[in-house]
Amino acid sequence: MFGMYLKQITTKNIQSHAEVVVDLPPTGLVVFTGQNSNGKSVIFKTTKKIISGELRKPRVRASLVNRNAMFGEISYL
C-alpha cells in the first residue's frame, strides 16, 4: 500500500519570523503548542490561505511577507 504524509513545514520571512521549521511524525495527531511568538499561528494562517485559495491574491501574499524581507517562502515536504 502506498501512502503519503506531511513530513515537515518550513516558512522563511513570513510575518515576524525569519524561519520556522516544524518536523512532523509519520503517524498520529499533531497538536501545536508553545510560547507566544513561536510561529504556531503563522503555520495555521498560511496553510489556511493556501487551502482556501486566498494566497493567489497579491495583497494577501504581500501581507504575509516580513516587511524587512524581499520574499517569503512556505514549503511542505
Side-chain angles (χ1 to χ4, degrees):
M1 185 171 134
F2 177 74
M4 293 179 19
Y5 64 93
L6 186 57
K7 186 175 180 180
Q8 184 180 71
I9 302 171
T10 305
T11 68
K12 293 180 183 175
N13 299 323
I14 301 297
Q15 294 190 336
S16 63
H17 302 281
E19 184 173 40
V20 175
V21 178
V22 180
D23 292 310
L24 301 166
T27 61
L29 179 67
V30 175
V31 177
F32 292 96
T33 63
Q35 298 293 320
N36 290 343
S37 298
N38 280 345
K40 299 177 303 289
S41 295
V42 169
I43 296 292
F44 176 76
K45 186 185 295 186
T46 54
T47 302
K48 181 180 174 186
K49 289 184 184 304
I50 289 169
I51 291 169
S52 71
E54 284 184 75
L55 206 60
R56 294 181 198 153
K57 301 174 185 173
R59 177 178 262 169
V60 172
R61 286 194 308 269
S63 73
L64 292 172
V65 176
N66 183 309
R67 66 176 172 237
N68 297 321
M70 296 296 293
F71 70 95
E73 182 179 312
I74 306 162
S75 66
Y76 297 85
L77 177 64

